[in-house]
Amino acid sequence: MVLSALTESAFDYVISVEESADMMHDLELALIEFASKTPTQIHRNWFSWLIPERRRAVAATLRLRELMCRIVNNYRENGPKSDGTIIQLIMENDSAFKTDDEKLAQLLEFFIAGHETTAYSISWVLTCLARNPQIQAKLRSELSTPTPKTWSQSKYLQMCIKEGMRLYPVVSGGSIRNIGKDLKTEGGFILPKGSTCFIPMMLVLNNPDVYENPREYNPSRWEHPTREMMDCFIPFSLGKQNCIGHLPTPRCRRLFQGFVPSLIYLSRRRVALSTS
């Protein structure tokens, strides 16, 4: 569901059920081989033609590239459906992406990161709401007045999503950087140039000195956040090399904010039907 909505809103492409299933299967094959096995087993690069798993992973990457080609061709034939989509930003930026291969690679990167992070965040927000029925009831009450088209404008919905992303950030493992100059911390410690620094986002977003009762799901804390709370809210890290799955376009943000209430009401309808 997330993949289908994301491709249509961010890439102006209606993905079929078959394409969606094939894409997830091919992505799993490619990630297991190239992100998990190859980095620790260098010989797989030398004898790739002898390893069946490797051959299947290579074929999977070619099929993923074909999907990106179909998306690009669809854009070129039909043009943009709306402004500010990811595919428009990539396809119309020839200075940054000089060849089709570069555009295809960037599209695939956004495709993978945007789908996974969106699904991950939505799942945890819904889990938090399921564990806190009083908060869920308050959110349903607030969403009962506006129409589904204006759900994304709900301040309380935005607070519920933000609190879920604080408790369960996408980049929970942290961010690793090599610093380019000497740094002095507030405590007086010197971090010399060239040092490798690790920032665990889970600890930053659950700092008891910043967030009261940090492990509690409390969306109301974002009604009047302090400056420290805002500065520490970095679920996707910071800077030019932050996580690209942070839904960079307004249309994608509306997609995310519309999914949560839609699934809440869908679950309530199923419960009502099962008990009737």
Side-chain angles (χ1 to χ4, degrees):
M1 184 182 294
V2 172
L3 180 60
S4 176
L6 186 66
T7 54
E8 188 171 355
S9 64
F11 300 93
D12 287 342
Y13 184 79
V14 179
I15 191 170
S16 66
V17 176
E18 292 77 11
E19 286 178 320
S20 180
D22 290 343
M23 181 266 181
M24 297 305 299
H25 175 68
D26 291 337
L27 181 60
E28 181 180 8
L29 291 176
L31 288 178
I32 290 175
E33 175 61 36
F34 298 112
S36 179
K37 293 185 177 181
T38 300
T40 58
Q41 303 173 28
I42 303 178
H43 67 278
R44 300 180 78 90
N45 287 320
W46 305 334
F47 305 104
S48 58
W49 68 93
L50 297 176
I51 306 174
E53 290 179 335
R54 177 80 175 201
R55 295 199 301 270
R56 287 194 290 269
V58 171
T61 60
L62 294 177
R63 289 192 294 269
L64 289 171
R65 189 180 189 279
E66 291 174 359
L67 174 60
M68 294 302 106
C69 288
R70 291 197 293 273
I71 293 175
V72 168
N73 291 336
N74 176 74
Y75 179 85
R76 284 174 171 164
E77 292 174 3
N78 302 306
K81 295 180 181 178
S82 60
D83 292 331
T85 59
I86 289 176
I87 190 169
Q88 182 187 37
L89 296 175
I90 293 175
M91 294 301 296
E92 297 184 8
N93 192 346
D94 293 333
S95 59
F97 308 100
K98 295 180 170 45
T99 66
D100 276 358
D101 284 340
E102 292 180 359
K103 293 177 180 178
L104 292 171
Q106 187 64 77
L107 279 172
L108 182 59
E109 190 172 358
F110 271 113
F111 199 87
I112 296 171
H115 158 251
E116 184 179 14
T117 54
T118 303
Y120 177 95
S121 297
I122 289 176
S123 297
W124 275 116
V125 170
L126 292 174
T127 300
C128 289
L129 291 170
R131 291 173 176 173
N132 297 269
Q134 291 182 341
I135 295 176
Q136 183 182 151
K138 181 178 178 180
L139 177 60
R140 281 178 170 171
S141 176
E142 179 161 325
L143 296 175
S144 63
T145 302
T147 63
K149 292 184 178 180
T150 59
W151 275 345
S152 62
Q153 299 173 10
S154 167
K155 184 177 180 180
Y156 193 67
L157 171 61
Q158 295 172 17
M159 292 191 295
C160 288
I161 293 174
K162 195 167 188 176
E163 181 69 351
M165 294 177 69
R166 181 191 69 82
L167 280 173
Y168 303 101
V170 173
V171 195
S172 57
S175 178
I176 301 176
R177 297 287 186 270
N178 293 326
I179 58 177
K181 62 179 181 180
D182 293 344
L183 294 177
K184 185 177 181 179
T185 68
E186 293 182 357
F189 295 100
I190 301 296
L191 302 178
K193 176 182 178 180
S195 297
T196 300
C197 298
F198 169 61
I199 305 175
M201 298 305 169
M202 185 64 80
L203 296 183
V204 174
L205 292 164
N206 287 270
N207 186 350
D209 295 331
V210 177
Y211 301 101
E212 184 178 356
N213 299 321
R215 294 310 299 164
E216 177 184 347
Y217 181 70
N218 179 20
S220 296
R221 74 171 79 243
W222 295 106
E223 190 170 3
H224 301 289
T226 64
R227 175 62 183 272
E228 289 77 12
M229 290 171 60
M230 297 300 296
D231 289 344
C232 288
F233 186 75
I234 49 174
F236 295 99
S237 187
L238 292 172
K240 296 181 179 179
Q241 295 183 347
N242 65 346
C243 177
I244 66 169
H246 59 90
L247 303 179
T249 68
R251 196 176 180 191
C252 285
R253 294 192 189 99
R254 290 194 296 272
L255 161 69
F256 184 95
Q257 293 166 348
F259 250 116
V260 174
S262 296
L263 292 176
I264 290 175
Y265 275 88
L266 179 60
S267 65
R268 184 176 66 175
R269 178 173 176 80
R270 284 178 176 173
V271 170
L273 290 174
S274 64
T275 57
S276 60

